Amino acid sequence: MKIQSVAALRQLPPRTRAVMGANLVSSVGTGLVQPFLVLYLTRVRGLPVGAATAVISVIATASLLGGPLAGRLADGRSLRATAAAAMALAALGTASFALVTGVGGAVLAGSAYGLAYGAMLSVWNTAIGRSVTGEARSTAFGLQFVGLNAGVGLGGLLGGIFASTADPGRFQLLYVCDGLSFLAAGAVLVLAVGRGPERPDPAAAEPAAGPRGYAVVLRDRALLKVLAFTVALMVVGYGQLESSIPGLVAVRGMDARIMAWGFVANTCCIVLIQFAAVTRISRSRPAVLLAGTAGSWAASWLLLLLATVSSGTAVQAALVIGALAVFAVGEALLAVALPTLVNTLASDPVRGRYNGAYSAAMSGGLVLGPLLGGWLLTGGQPWLLAVVLGAGCVACVALAPRLGRLHGPSDSAQTAAPEAPDDRHTSDPYENEPQRLGSGGGR
């Protein structure tokens, strides 16, 4: 199998590689603590299970505000200052968990971290969207997802080795290390986004008398379609990965270790798929990738349905682990398709707000997904979870091709300018596609 990612990484601009490196550093820190928050709050700090899980909801809800706020600041103020503020707040929020002794402190720490989490997603995507265009942009988003999963996996391994509920000091040290990783990543990110002037976008400057704030987002019907599709995919897919799917395993009385091996298979598949085929994925149309995402998740729900109605521990284990491995295919495709599509529709003066709205759409789906999944699981018929959400994925497969007809002004304007013959960072393989229509946006 030909490994494409190394060559693709070398072709990206140094600024883009620096942003991706910062993301890798922060993801290792995230992996140190991500699997253990509920365990830490309940078994180490003595909080009730309901309060501990409520903190997860607080984080998700706060992230709804963080993305749009960071997007507005990145456009109206400075991406560099926004990045510094987001990473510093993330460091403060996660490190504060080391000092939590009650519900109030956990909620405050979760609120700060959630606000920063939404902001960071907007900042990462805006920084990459501004530094590259066309196929290079798709490649960068794909490789960033590789680094994210590899970093979280490595951090999770180190955290699993070091953490011990018998020694609270170990968990405290992990949260401090996570905070330090955000500070280190923030320093790299600030240097990267502050290196040289931002690339101008002459064809899409925001008029002085034009819409202000997020009105420009609400006027773009093409983007609103993408955001609605994002919410739907989060509800039927990502929003269930760490909530309803483990809940299904628990309701059916399966061995809890099945989920551990399932997440190992999921992470390994994501890294292998992107590492080996990132160039091929980045050259595919976003609508095709989104249809593939929904299709793979529909197949995953089918395997989970079979696990629900089957008997035998070995069969159930194989089906659940296989389902999470198939789920990884959709994750790998989605990581390239959605941020690429959002940044294709955006122009540089409003790119932060577009990515902020995208961050909010993802967070909204991650809030709604567990609520729907929990309601389906408590109805007494666990198989309904797989049937309803699988049907939702099939509907997304049918809707995905409609997103392939969306087209934004920014890349085509940039590629119209004279370029050096060997410039690989500003070409858009879709700019001459006859099926593309004007976005109808208000930019």
Side-chain angles (χ1 to χ4, degrees):
M1 178 182 295
K2 182 179 179 181
I3 296 178
Q4 304 171 343
S5 59
V6 175
L9 182 62
R10 290 174 178 171
Q11 293 175 4
L12 294 176
R15 173 181 174 180
T16 308
R17 293 200 299 267
V19 171
M20 294 163 58
N23 192 26
L24 175 62
V25 171
S26 69
S27 66
V28 173
T30 298
L32 290 173
V33 299
Q34 187 179 56
F36 309 120
L37 180 57
V38 173
L39 178 67
Y40 167 69
L41 293 178
T42 54
R43 298 183 60 182
V44 177
R45 292 306 184 187
L47 272 63
V49 174
T53 54
V55 172
I56 305 298
S57 298
V58 167
I59 293 174
T61 303
S63 69
L64 279 168
L65 303 175
L69 178 60
R72 186 66 183 94
L73 291 175
D75 287 339
R77 300 290 181 178
S78 164
L79 177 60
R80 187 178 192 180
T82 305
M87 301 303 280
L89 184 60
L92 175 64
T94 191
S96 295
F97 279 112
L99 304 177
V100 163
T101 57
V103 175
V107 169
L108 287 176
S111 299
Y113 180 74
L115 192 65
Y117 180 85
M120 287 187 297
L121 178 60
S122 179
V123 166
W124 293 122
N125 288 341
T126 302
I128 290 180
R130 286 184 179 179
S131 64
V132 284
T133 61
E135 183 184 317
R137 178 183 288 159
S138 301
T139 301
F141 282 125
L143 289 175
Q144 177 180 249
F145 195 58
V146 173
L148 173 65
N149 281 275
V152 169
L154 176 60
L157 177 62
L158 296 175
I161 293 173
F162 186 76
S164 172
T165 56
D167 184 1
R170 292 197 174 197
F171 274 102
Q172 291 177 309
L173 182 58
L174 288 178
Y175 281 104
V176 170
C177 289
D178 186 25
L180 292 175
S181 76
F182 281 118
L183 293 179
V188 175
L189 182 60
V190 166
L191 291 175
V193 300
R195 184 183 301 163
E198 301 285 0
R199 188 203 315 271
D201 191 353
E206 192 175 1
R212 299 293 180 180
Y214 275 88
V216 68
V217 173
L218 298 176
R219 286 166 57 97
D220 190 337
R221 294 182 180 181
L223 180 67
L224 294 180
K225 292 178 182 179
V226 174
L227 297 181
F229 193 82
T230 299
V231 173
L233 277 181
M234 294 302 105
V235 169
V236 300
Y238 255 141
Q240 312 298 334
L241 183 59
E242 296 182 4
S243 57
S244 300
I245 295 179
L248 181 64
V249 170
V251 167
R252 291 292 296 153
M254 303 179 199
D255 190 334
R257 290 175 295 180
I258 292 176
M259 285 307 304
W261 286 109
F263 278 117
V264 169
N266 178 270
T267 302
C268 290
C269 285
I270 289 172
V271 173
L272 288 175
I273 291 168
Q274 287 282 23
F275 192 68
V278 65
T279 301
R280 181 173 299 177
I281 294 173
S282 66
R283 289 174 179 169
S284 301
R285 293 173 57 196
V288 174
L289 298 179
L290 291 175
T293 295
S296 70
W297 288 354
S300 180
W301 284 118
L302 176 59
L303 292 175
L304 289 169
L305 175 62
L306 295 175
T308 303
V309 301
S310 65
S311 58
T313 303
V315 174
Q316 290 178 333
L319 288 170
V320 172
I321 293 172
L324 290 176
V326 173
F327 197 96
V329 177
E331 292 182 77
L333 302 181
L334 180 73
V336 174
L338 274 180
T340 298
L341 191 52
V342 169
N343 281 278
T344 298
L345 293 172
S347 58
D348 277 346
V350 295
R351 193 173 303 281
R353 274 163 284 180
Y354 273 51
N355 282 291
Y358 169 56
S359 172
M362 290 192 68
S363 298
L366 294 176
V367 171
L368 295 175
L371 295 176
L372 174 61
W375 178 74
L376 291 171
L377 282 176
T378 56
Q381 302 292 340
W383 56 268
L384 272 177
L385 177 76
V387 171
V388 172
L389 297 179
C393 289
V394 172
C396 288
V397 173
L399 292 173
R402 301 186 64 177
L403 299 180
R405 298 192 292 269
L406 305 179
H407 182 49
S410 58
D411 286 344
S412 59
Q414 289 171 350
T415 53
E419 298 176 350
D422 60 345
D423 189 347
R424 300 172 182 170
H425 310 309
T426 56
S427 62
D428 187 347
Y430 313 115
E431 83 174 87
N432 296 319
E433 205 169 65
Q435 290 183 330
R436 292 219 169 184
L437 305 177
S439 67
R443 294 180 296 281

